[in-house]
């Protein structure tokens, strides 16, 4: 971000952008989203790139680089929105085009990847485990991060499927399967053989269910040590 005092009257469009930034920031902080103005103001800033170059009410000329959108959102008024990226993302709602712009301007959320044991201390202030100690199992990233990763890829490669997800007609995982990025999966109840069969038949259909039956029959006939 580069703030500087203007020496000459700013162009009208830069002042209008500054007013837009101020109005959007004020609405976000006051929670005035029910008026329907916030998404429209946000759309104007995102589609025009107006957030990158504007003049505040105080006459300060503010500029941001393309990679500084998170800074613009989090910077206090009048030089930014004084808001949170997650709030801005929610306000975009079911708008694939705006989500695509938003994802292009923002980095993926951190997945909590462990740091090197030699470089960090834990939250209690004790030293991290010595290098010869076995590392703790890596936790899976939260489901929300996995869904976000899918939506970011959809925004880039399959905006048609992103629209299905944002409208609520399709889940992010289903869209990934539809796009061919993931294989279909299902949960099988193991307590009841009849339930297992019904679940598989519903998911696979007649032809694939018969193939599974044949594969099971071959496995049953094999000695247990050969499976």
């Amino acid at each position: 971000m580069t703030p500087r005092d203007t020496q000459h009257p700013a162009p009208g469009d830069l002042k209008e952008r500054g007013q837009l930034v101020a109005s959007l920031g004020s609405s976000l902080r006051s929670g005035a989203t029910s008026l329907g103005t916030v998404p429209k103001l946000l759309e104007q800033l995102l589609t025009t790139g107006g957030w990158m170059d504007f003049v505040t009410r105080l006459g300060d000329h503010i500029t941001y680089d393309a990679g500084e959108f998170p800074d613009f959102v989090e910077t206090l008024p009048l030089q930014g929105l004084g808001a949170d990226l997650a709030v801005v993302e929610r306000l975009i709602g079911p708008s694939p085009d705006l989500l695509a712009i938003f994802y292009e301007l923002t980095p993926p959320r951190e997945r909590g990847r462990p740091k090197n044991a030699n470089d960090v201390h834990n939250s209690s202030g004790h030293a991290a485990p010595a290098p010869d100690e076995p590392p703790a199992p890596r936790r899976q990233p939260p489901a929300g991060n996995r869904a976000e990763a899918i939506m970011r890829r959809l925004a880039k490669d399959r905006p048609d499927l992103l629209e299905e997800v944002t409208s609520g007609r399709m889940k992010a995982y289903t869209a990934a399967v539809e796009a061919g990025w993931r294989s279909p999966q299902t949960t099988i109840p193991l307590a009841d053989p009849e339930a297992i069969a019904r679940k598989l038949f519903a998911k696979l259909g007649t032809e694939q269910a018969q193939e599974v039956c044949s594969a099971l029959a071959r496995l049953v006939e094999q000695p247990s040590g050969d499976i």
Side-chain angles (χ1 to χ4, degrees):
M1 178 184 68
T2 307
R4 59 181 181 272
D5 293 334
T6 52
Q7 300 295 325
H8 306 286
D13 59 339
L14 293 183
K15 289 186 177 180
E16 290 179 5
R17 291 176 179 179
Q19 179 62 42
L20 185 62
V21 170
S23 298
L24 177 58
S26 177
S27 297
L28 287 172
R29 294 188 302 278
S30 65
T33 59
S34 59
L35 300 178
T37 59
V38 172
K40 187 63 178 178
L41 295 174
L42 184 58
E43 179 181 359
Q44 287 182 255
L45 283 178
L46 286 175
T47 56
T48 65
W51 63 273
M52 298 177 65
D53 191 8
F54 58 91
V55 172
T56 72
R57 297 170 183 169
L58 300 180
D60 293 328
H61 190 179
I62 309 299
T63 60
Y64 289 89
D65 293 332
E68 294 181 318
F69 181 72
D71 296 329
F72 163 72
V73 171
E74 296 170 357
T75 297
L76 294 177
L78 295 167
Q79 298 180 2
L81 298 180
D84 182 83
L85 281 173
V87 173
V88 173
E89 183 177 4
R90 288 197 299 271
L91 286 173
I92 291 175
S95 179
D97 293 340
L98 290 184
L99 273 179
I101 297 174
F102 177 83
Y103 288 147
E104 184 177 349
L105 293 173
T106 58
R109 285 193 290 269
E110 290 294 331
R111 294 172 179 253
R113 182 164 48 189
K115 297 180 180 179
N116 188 294
N118 294 324
D119 300 333
V120 299
H121 286 69
N122 61 31
S123 59
S124 63
H126 299 299
D132 57 347
E133 295 183 20
R138 176 173 294 183
R139 294 182 300 174
Q140 289 293 322
N145 280 345
R146 292 196 294 269
E148 180 198 357
I150 292 173
M151 292 181 69
R152 285 179 177 274
R153 188 173 179 184
L154 290 173
K156 181 180 179 181
D157 300 331
R158 292 295 304 269
D160 57 323
L161 292 179
L162 178 63
E163 183 173 3
E164 294 293 305
V165 175
T166 56
S167 65
R169 294 190 295 266
M170 183 181 292
K171 293 188 179 297
Y173 166 76
T174 306
V177 173
E178 182 73 16
W181 304 334
R182 291 191 175 188
S183 300
Q185 298 181 7
T186 189
T187 302
I188 303 295
L190 299 179
D192 182 4
E194 182 71 18
I196 295 173
R198 289 184 178 277
K199 183 79 170 184
L200 285 174
F201 185 77
K203 289 290 183 181
L204 300 177
T206 303
E207 184 175 348
Q208 278 192 301
Q210 289 175 341
E211 293 176 358
V212 170
C213 287
S214 298
L216 284 173
R218 289 194 298 271
L219 290 174
V220 169
E221 293 173 357
Q222 292 179 7
S224 58
D226 295 338
I227 297 178

